Amino acid sequence: MRLSGILIIEDEQSIAELERDYLEINGFAADIENSGDRGLQRALASDYDLIILDLMLPKVDGFEICRRIRAEKDIPILMVSAKKEDIDKIRGLGLGADDYMIKPFSPGELVARVKAHLARYERLSGRREARNDEIRIRGLRIDRSARRVFVNEQEVAFTTKEFDLLSYLAMNPNRVFSKEQLFDQIWGMDAIGEIATVTVHIRKLREKVELDPSDPQYIETIWGAGYRFRI
């Protein structure tokens, strides 16, 4: 059975090696790149299952790397940084990162989050019964097995978490979910302090699937309660 491949893009060699050692102990295969340009090139050229991405890197920073990977690949990205400002966290998640960890953190927590994201990605990647593989609602078609979305038969690109969130809402129509419930279901981590990413992703979903994002016909805001996918 193939080991899950992890790419660590981290300029501090000692941190990168510690992360790699813990991942390998836990059954993963891990590679290291110390500069942003080489990390980006390797991430795009190779078939990794997850990227651990430092924010402050030489040559190309983590924000740009995340944006470039997301434009071409649909894999989990775990962003790490010593920067604690919410704006950096929101920006990283808005660009398509699946998680944001603040240094210093324990290697055990990193491994736990890697396992959680890989398991969640596999669970939500469309590997289910054939009858649940496609969702059609008015002009929206979600092909869950291929992880593709079509709006009025025109394909629209989605990040990993955007697709997961849209699929989850569409699979549970007319039900109201709070931001906390959506965060727990899609991201699976402690939602305290991270709720803003749900709002960011809902806005991006509306920009992609709604004819008029200011007057949504699919994803409704239920004031004081959360969001509902209307059919």
Side-chain angles (χ1 to χ4, degrees):
M1 187 178 191
R2 183 181 71 89
L3 297 178
S4 294
I6 314 294
L7 175 62
I8 302 167
I9 308 177
E10 166 65 65
D11 62 333
E12 296 187 47
Q13 184 67 21
S14 60
I15 293 177
E17 290 178 351
L18 180 63
E19 292 173 350
R20 182 188 60 191
D21 291 347
Y22 268 79
L23 288 167
E24 291 181 344
I25 289 171
N26 283 272
F28 299 102
D31 296 323
I32 295 172
E33 286 293 350
N34 299 123
S35 71
D37 55 343
R38 292 197 304 271
L40 175 60
Q41 183 179 22
R42 192 164 185 175
L44 295 178
S46 304
D47 187 22
Y48 288 100
D49 297 293
L50 182 144
I51 309 290
I52 297 174
L53 176 62
D54 188 32
L55 182 56
M56 304 302 293
L57 293 163
K59 306 290 187 180
V60 183
D61 69 23
F63 290 130
E64 178 63 15
I65 292 173
C66 184
R67 186 187 68 80
R68 295 277 298 276
I69 293 174
R70 271 290 164 261
E72 298 189 28
K73 290 179 177 284
D74 179 22
I75 59 172
I77 298 175
L78 203 168
M79 190 174 282
V80 298
S81 175
K83 301 181 73 173
K84 300 180 181 179
E85 292 80 4
D86 284 344
I87 188 65
D88 294 306
K89 187 180 301 183
I90 292 170
R91 183 184 175 192
L93 295 170
L95 286 170
D98 298 282
D99 203 351
Y100 190 106
M101 295 184 66
I102 297 174
K103 298 178 181 178
F105 49 78
S106 71
E109 180 185 3
L110 176 69
V111 171
R113 294 203 185 198
V114 166
K115 288 180 177 179
H117 283 294
L118 287 173
R120 185 161 289 100
Y121 178 77
E122 182 175 355
R123 177 170 58 84
L124 296 170
S125 63
R127 299 166 188 167
R128 300 176 184 226
E129 296 86 352
R131 68 178 186 275
N132 291 328
D133 279 352
E134 189 167 278
I135 302 169
R136 291 176 179 264
I137 302 173
R138 299 190 294 281
L140 179 65
R141 177 162 63 92
I142 304 169
D143 185 340
R144 298 181 62 250
S145 61
R147 295 183 68 83
R148 302 172 72 186
V149 178
F150 300 84
V151 179
N152 295 323
E153 293 308 316
Q154 296 295 314
E155 185 169 6
V156 180
F158 283 75
T159 68
T160 302
K161 284 296 181 280
E162 288 170 0
F163 183 89
D164 292 344
L165 181 57
L166 178 65
S167 296
Y168 184 72
L169 288 168
M171 289 175 64
N172 296 276
N174 297 327
R175 177 179 170 185
V176 179
F177 292 97
S178 68
K179 294 177 184 178
E180 291 82 3
Q181 288 173 320
L182 291 174
F183 190 91
D184 183 65
Q185 178 64 36
I186 304 303
W187 283 265
M189 303 298 171
D190 186 354
I192 296 176
E194 309 289 349
I195 295 300
T197 193
V198 175
T199 303
V200 170
H201 280 71
I202 290 291
R203 175 174 55 81
K204 289 182 175 293
L205 289 186
R206 286 174 172 161
E207 290 172 353
K208 293 182 178 184
V209 304
E210 301 284 1
L211 181 63
D212 180 2
S214 65
D215 183 23
Q217 302 302 303
Y218 292 111
I219 305 170
E220 297 180 315
T221 297
I222 307 302
W223 297 108
Y227 301 101
R228 175 177 64 194
F229 193 97
R230 183 169 65 87
I231 61 173

